[in-house]
Amino acid sequence: MVRPPSAILSAAASHRMPRTPDLRAPDETAPIGLAFSPRGDLRLEASAALPVEERLPRPRAAAIERAFRAGLGAGLLHLASEELQAALGPSLAFGRDLARRYLNALRGLGDEAGREPLEPPAEDLSALLDALPPLVGAEYASAEALTGAWRAMDAVVRAELADFPGTVHEYLQIRNPAWHAVGRVTFHLAEQKKNARTPFAFLATFATGVGESGRVRHVPLGTALADPRADKDQLLRLLRPVHAATQRSPLVKALVDSGALYQPLAWTAEEAYAFLLAIPDCEAAGVVVRVPDWWKGRRPSRVQAGARVGAEEPAGFGAAALLSFDASLCLEGQPLSAEERRAVLEGARGLRLIRGQWVEVDPERLREAVELFEAVAAQAGEDGLSFAEGMRLLAGAAPLGRGESAAEAAERAAVWREVEAGPWLAELLAALRSPATAPACDPGPAFHGTLRPYQREGVAWLLLLARLGLGGCLADDMGLGKTIQIIALLLLLQREGEGEGKPGPHLIVVPASVLGNWQAELARFGPSLRVAVAHRSELSPAALAELGAGELAEVDVVLTTYGTLARTRWLAERPWGLVVIDEAQAIKNPSTRQARAVKSLASRMRFALTGTPVENRLGEAWSLFDFLCPGLLGSAREFTAFARRLGAEGGPGYGPLRRLLRPYILRRMKSDRAIVRDLPDKTELTVHCGLSRVQVAFYEEAVRDLAEALEGAEGIARRGVVLAALLRFKQICNHPSQWTGDGRYAPEDSGKFARLAELCETIAARQEKCLVFTQFRELTGPLADYLAGLFGRPGLVLHGGTPVKRRTQLVEEFQADGGAPFFVLSLKAGGTGLTLTAANHVIHFDRWWNPAVETQASDRAYRIGQHKNVLIHAFTCRGTIEEEIDAMLERKRRLAEELFDGSAEAALTEMESEELLKLVALDVRRAEI
């Protein structure tokens, strides 16, 4: 029996691998994480808008930031080297896992590494995408993006290896001691099919070099140690990974202590299985392991407890539907016979030869899985399983067992039991996940407009959910027409209800700032829908109460706001057909009054609209789905524990949660190729804003002052009075502080500031850029300060006082990838002569009232070099002169060209006093938020 020299083992034992310094978290932290850009690139993000989970101690954050300055590949490799054992946020941990997979693939190449580009295994990319954590831009993640990151790392490594004097193994050791001596020693396990008693053979070898065939030459480890010509330092390096493996694995330690490691061994199935379970410890120590193909990838055939949910169409619909549930023990989807079932449920965990193949069996886990499914079947009874519980089982989102760790739960869920959808449920989920395959829905002539193909698919998806009584989230990108898809759905429900009783009335809950937009869109696209607006802008308190006291027999849709819903009891007390909530982030905090009011509504169907990717924010996702599909994600406490398990070390990742939510979220983006072909290059939107109470008071005072000033004023003096009043009205509509000059600019005092916040929240979440135009130089600073808080970082400002040389620098800074997220410009200084195609949103904060001037400003973004669809948002205050002028532009475009060919103000100065006062008069009910 060959034993290693004691001196060598002693030297190996005395070798201490340096550890990554334990950086105690200081008081100060910095936000830092990974994000996917709209172009699909993985990059480092250091924005204050990152969630608290993405904050790190400043020294560590600074080190990571320095590494990424050298490039994406260098930064990712830094995560898998210097930060290998560090506690990182979810997004950086994801990047580290990507880099760790790359280095694992690199070490498997041995001395061949660095000669040719190393391409990523497709299964690795698929696994990474499935377990993608919530991070900024997750909707842009793709296999192509991860491949690009992989190649960036490979380029760095190949360049470094070209100049590195040592071996690949030494190169990896320098990166981090955890990669030391990789590939020197190999443990082999092979089958001996002719030997029934000891059907496996084991041998430890040493790679001496590369032969003429290009294959690595191996000699038995015992032979290498017994060679008197062997270099002592070389033997020390040889034994370091073996020694490290003894510290991790009792099995390897026993083999070394007995000397059995240094000779060929014949093993029983039990002995071979014990070695197979020790593979992770051996590989972590730097030992290469070669095993039969059926164990490669850690996905051997296993006997599983299999279950099928929803084989047949249930009697009911919606979340209350009961699904069929059947369970059995299976091997590769085929049920076991009674004899095979008895064989796998007896004895210890290990390998069994079943149906001619080696199969992994864990009787204890299988019995637990069988008991779980039996308990589920008992709970389901003869009627069936609840829809929510069935969906959770399908997604692998079952709760932890008693005393079970996250890793154990992941293994149990993914390995020892499998739940699949039956034919009926599988067909339903396919239709929900792929709306393009659903039958297109046409609301007919009742819809005054034309639905684009992707919008028809969206309507079909919404109608399918409505017929099933399930809730859903339409999360299309801003500007893709979520509102008109809902209007088309309402018309379809109206048509379906004509022959079977009235299905409504339906309720739409919106922020006060978009109430006017909904009124305009309903009137424009669905004029046959009878709409009642339950808001103080349309009804007095008495009329609002009277509306609730009636049966609403003559009403199809009730339109209200979150604030009104929270204050008006009858809205929560009556049943609704369909409830739609717009800007669904309004209920992201479940403890708010308006969130509780929304969730108390009684309805057959529930939909939410948002342009923000809800699947990227765990807490917000729970609150939203607590409204859409109550019970699907359990209670807040259960969901918190579930999310913690998903993200825990050794957990399954966030794949189960994404699979659970995917059928109920429809998200299309302007960057999708199919959508881009279907969109106009430029879309102009009128954004209706309300006035705060402070604005209302100032505006009414301005109207009274104008009426007094017009009495007796004539000629040039009268024109001056009118122009001054128009300027005053514009300033008040923007913000009272602009009129008073007090410098406060409190956001709550301006309806436009409130609407700007809602709009920019979505723009920031999409990592897009915007231009904000105002005709007032004094407003550029307050707007930039406010936007910096919304975007989490500062933007740029340009006005008449900006030096000419600085203008060019500002344009270059804004156009740069990763540059400022917004640009505030005064209309005269920035309305012409600039190319700002990095932005695809243009916001006209106040109206110039000259279409040509506004178009010129919008074309700073909509010009040659723009590769995205551009959205123009023109802010207009309801019930004010701004709305009157906007309506005039719509009604009389030809007259507008004549009237505004010069300037609107000049034309308005010529109006009769009575006509002018009527034009500027305030409609208080419609104007106030």
Side-chain angles (χ1 to χ4, degrees):
M1 183 177 297
V2 181
R3 294 183 180 272
S6 59
I8 296 177
L9 275 181
S10 177
S14 65
H15 177 72
R16 293 292 182 264
M17 295 184 293
R19 297 177 179 271
T20 299
D22 182 16
L23 296 177
R24 300 294 180 185
D27 294 337
E28 291 188 354
T29 61
I32 190 166
L34 290 177
F36 287 95
S37 73
R39 296 194 308 182
D41 300 324
L42 190 62
R43 59 181 174 82
L44 191 69
E45 179 84 8
S47 168
L50 291 172
V52 66
E53 296 86 1
E54 302 287 6
R55 300 188 72 88
L56 290 179
R58 288 192 182 276
R60 177 167 291 154
I64 292 173
E65 199 163 4
R66 283 194 301 272
F68 273 88
R69 286 197 199 108
L72 175 63
L76 291 173
L77 290 168
H78 171 87
L79 297 179
S81 301
E82 282 80 354
E83 308 294 338
L84 187 61
Q85 286 89 20
L88 300 176
S91 65
L92 289 174
F94 170 79
R96 178 171 60 190
D97 190 25
L98 173 63
R100 188 160 42 195
R101 288 172 186 263
Y102 168 78
L103 291 177
N104 270 324
L106 182 74
R107 72 179 184 180
L109 293 179
D111 293 334
E112 297 292 327
R115 297 186 179 182
E116 298 292 337
L118 174 59
E119 290 297 316
E123 60 270 17
D124 277 15
L125 300 186
S126 177
L128 281 165
L129 285 172
D130 186 56
L132 185 71
L135 49 75
V136 175
E139 64 270 30
Y140 301 118
S142 65
E144 291 78 11
L146 297 185
T147 299
W150 181 287
R151 289 172 178 167
M153 291 187 287
D154 193 50
V156 172
V157 169
R158 292 178 66 207
E160 291 180 349
L161 284 175
D163 298 329
F164 188 70
T167 66
V168 173
H169 312 295
E170 292 166 339
Y171 167 80
L172 289 172
Q173 182 177 357
I174 290 174
R175 281 211 159 270
N176 190 285
W179 304 107
H180 71 96
V182 176
R184 287 292 192 177
V185 176
T186 302
F187 290 170
H188 303 263
L189 181 70
E191 289 185 81
Q192 299 184 121
K193 295 184 177 180
K194 295 182 179 180
N195 193 329
R197 192 177 69 84
T198 54
F200 293 93
F202 171 83
L203 180 65
T205 66
F206 168 56
T208 60
V210 179
E212 294 180 0
S213 64
R215 306 188 70 170
V216 178
R217 290 196 300 263
H218 290 270
V219 298
L221 184 57
T223 302
L225 292 173
D227 188 348
R229 299 168 298 174
D231 180 81
K232 298 301 181 184
D233 291 335
Q234 184 183 37
L235 290 176
L236 176 60
R237 288 195 300 272
L238 166 67
L239 290 173
R240 280 178 185 167
V242 175
H243 175 71
T246 66
Q247 306 304 301
R248 293 172 175 269
S249 169
L251 172 65
V252 177
K253 187 176 187 305
L255 290 172
V256 170
D257 290 345
S258 67
L261 182 70
Y262 310 106
Q263 59 187 8
L265 300 173
W267 277 351
T268 64
E270 290 75 14
E271 290 171 323
Y273 185 68
F275 169 73
L276 291 171
L277 294 182
I279 286 177
D281 290 329
C282 296
E283 291 184 332
V287 178
V288 177
V289 179
R290 305 295 184 204
V291 295
D293 289 342
W294 45 262
W295 190 270
K296 286 182 179 178
R298 311 298 178 263
R299 296 184 183 90
S301 297
R302 291 180 171 96
V303 173
Q304 294 176 310
R308 177 173 288 189
V309 179
E312 301 173 352
E313 183 174 354
F317 291 100
L322 298 175
L323 305 175
S324 61
F325 180 82
D326 303 293
S328 61
L329 284 179
C330 304
L331 174 60
E332 296 181 343
Q334 298 300 314
L336 298 184
S337 66
E339 182 179 349
E340 291 169 333
R341 179 185 172 99
R342 283 193 299 272
V344 300
L345 291 178
E346 296 174 356
R349 178 176 179 177
L351 299 175
R352 303 278 199 282
L353 196 61
I354 300 177
R355 300 175 185 174
Q357 61 177 315
W358 287 105
V359 175
E360 186 180 9
V361 171
D362 187 337
E364 182 180 355
R365 291 293 192 197
L366 288 174
R367 284 193 293 269
E368 288 178 0
V370 169
E371 290 172 3
L372 171 66
F373 285 160
E374 288 177 348
V376 171
Q379 177 187 353
E382 295 183 359
D383 296 327
L385 188 69
S386 75
F387 193 89
E389 185 62 29
M391 294 300 291
R392 283 199 293 269
L393 284 172
L394 277 176
L400 286 166
R402 182 177 299 176
E404 195 171 37
S405 70
E408 290 171 333
E411 182 188 28
R412 173 170 56 85
V415 174
W416 302 112
R417 66 167 187 255
E418 181 179 21
V419 183
E420 64 177 16
W424 175 83
L425 186 56
E427 183 178 353
L428 169 63
L429 293 177
L432 291 177
R433 289 168 179 159
S434 303
T437 63
C441 289
D442 183 5
F447 183 79
H448 287 209
T450 302
L451 291 172
R452 301 183 183 280
Y454 74 87
Q455 291 171 336
R456 288 196 296 271
E457 293 168 4
V459 175
W461 181 79
L462 291 167
L463 185 62
L464 175 60
L465 281 172
R467 287 171 173 169
L468 293 171
L470 297 174
C473 176
L474 183 59
D476 283 348
D477 204 356
M478 185 190 305
L480 293 186
K482 295 185 288 292
T483 302
I484 63 173
Q485 291 177 68
I486 291 294
I487 294 172
L489 173 67
L490 293 171
L491 291 169
L492 286 167
L493 294 176
Q494 181 189 52
R495 187 172 67 192
E496 288 187 352
E498 290 175 354
E500 52 189 61
K502 185 177 175 61
H506 309 299
L507 179 68
I508 301 176
V509 186
V510 305
S513 56
V514 300
L515 184 66
N517 288 70
W518 271 93
Q519 288 178 269
E521 298 287 86
L522 284 163
R524 177 182 176 186
F525 294 104
S528 65
L529 292 169
R530 294 164 296 182
V531 180
V533 181
H535 189 255
R536 63 187 179 192
S537 63
E538 297 289 332
L539 300 174
S540 65
L544 185 59
E546 184 179 344
L547 177 67
E551 292 299 320
L552 299 177
E554 303 301 319
V555 174
D556 297 309
V557 178
V558 173
L559 185 61
T560 192
T561 65
Y562 288 102
T564 303
L565 175 63
R567 294 188 300 266
T568 308
R569 180 177 298 178
W570 66 264
L571 287 169
E573 290 178 345
R574 65 159 299 122
W576 304 96
L578 169 66
V579 169
V580 178
I581 61 171
D582 191 17
E583 303 291 351
Q585 58 268 29
I587 66 166
K588 63 184 179 182
N589 186 345
S591 63
T592 61
R593 182 183 179 189
Q594 65 186 26
R596 294 196 301 269
V598 166
K599 294 177 184 182
S600 69
L601 293 170
S603 65
R604 295 194 303 274
M605 302 161 283
R606 295 180 170 190
F607 291 130
L609 309 181
T610 179
T612 304
V614 295
E615 69 271 22
N616 295 349
R617 294 168 170 81
L618 294 184
E620 295 176 21
W622 179 84
S623 185
L624 180 60
F625 275 86
D626 189 43
F627 161 71
L628 292 176
C629 304
L632 182 69
L633 298 181
S635 67
R637 180 176 296 179
E638 290 171 338
F639 180 74
T640 299
F642 169 54
R644 189 178 295 119
R645 171 168 70 86
L646 295 181
E649 185 70 27
Y654 294 92
L657 179 59
R658 292 184 182 279
R659 289 192 292 272
L660 182 58
L661 299 184
R662 192 173 297 142
Y664 311 101
I665 300 176
L666 180 59
R667 180 162 178 79
R668 280 82 59 88
M669 296 185 293
K670 294 191 292 289
S671 56
D672 292 345
R673 293 182 179 179
I675 304 299
V676 169
R677 291 194 300 267
D678 200 30
L679 284 177
D681 295 330
K682 180 170 67 173
T683 303
E684 299 184 12
L685 305 170
T686 299
V687 179
H688 296 276
C689 307
L691 296 181
S692 68
R693 292 187 178 182
V694 177
Q695 286 175 297
V696 168
F698 276 118
Y699 195 99
E700 288 181 320
E701 181 184 5
V703 173
R704 290 194 298 270
D705 290 347
L706 175 60
E708 293 176 5
L710 286 174
E711 294 180 7
E714 296 180 358
I716 295 177
R718 184 180 184 280
R719 291 191 185 96
V721 167
V722 174
L723 289 174
L726 293 176
L727 178 64
R728 182 177 176 182
F729 288 133
K730 284 185 178 182
Q731 292 174 325
I732 293 170
C733 287
N734 284 346
H735 197 292
S737 292
Q738 188 184 355
W739 163 245
T740 63
D742 60 17
R744 292 180 59 248
Y745 285 96
E748 64 272 13
D749 287 345
S750 168
K752 285 189 178 181
F753 269 59
R755 189 68 186 102
L756 186 66
E758 294 167 350
L759 183 61
C760 288
E761 180 182 356
T762 302
I763 294 174
R766 296 278 290 113
Q767 301 176 71
E768 295 176 338
K769 296 187 178 186
C770 66
L771 307 179
V772 181
F773 284 102
T774 175
Q775 61 184 283
F776 300 101
R777 174 177 171 176
E778 70 270 18
L779 192 58
T780 57
L783 280 174
D785 292 341
Y786 184 53
L787 288 167
L790 299 176
F791 281 89
R793 55 196 180 106
L796 303 174
V797 176
L798 186 150
H799 51 63
T802 305
V804 175
K805 290 184 178 180
R806 179 58 179 152
R807 288 167 60 99
T808 303
Q809 294 173 349
L810 289 172
V811 171
E812 291 175 353
E813 290 175 22
F814 186 73
Q815 290 291 96
D817 190 25
F822 64 87
F823 203 157
V824 181
L825 309 100
S826 67
L827 200 57
K828 283 188 176 179
T832 58
L834 301 178
T835 297
L836 300 169
T837 51
N840 62 315
H841 292 270
V842 178
I843 299 172
H844 291 290
F845 192 76
D846 41 58
R847 307 301 299 273
W848 187 254
W849 298 348
N850 185 330
V853 175
E854 290 190 347
T855 299
Q856 277 187 332
S858 300
D859 286 349
R860 299 314 93 214
Y862 180 59
R863 59 197 299 114
I864 294 175
Q866 177 59 265
H867 301 293
K868 299 179 181 178
N869 297 97
V870 177
L871 283 177
I872 315 296
H873 311 268
F875 281 20
T876 300
C877 285
R878 296 194 312 269
T880 71
I881 187 175
E882 288 192 336
E883 187 176 51
E884 293 293 335
I885 297 300
D886 185 70
M888 188 183 298
L889 290 172
E890 288 296 321
R891 291 194 309 265
K892 302 180 179 180
R893 181 61 60 180
R894 184 178 303 171
L895 175 61
E897 292 173 359
E898 299 172 1
L899 181 62
F900 298 138
D901 190 41
S903 102
E905 287 88 345
L908 294 172
T909 59
E910 303 304 320
M911 283 187 174
E912 295 294 333
S913 297
E914 183 178 349
E915 185 182 4
L916 177 62
L917 289 172
K918 183 178 180 181
L919 184 68
V920 303
L922 179 67
D923 186 341
V924 179
R925 284 186 178 175
R926 297 191 63 250
E928 190 172 353
I929 299 174

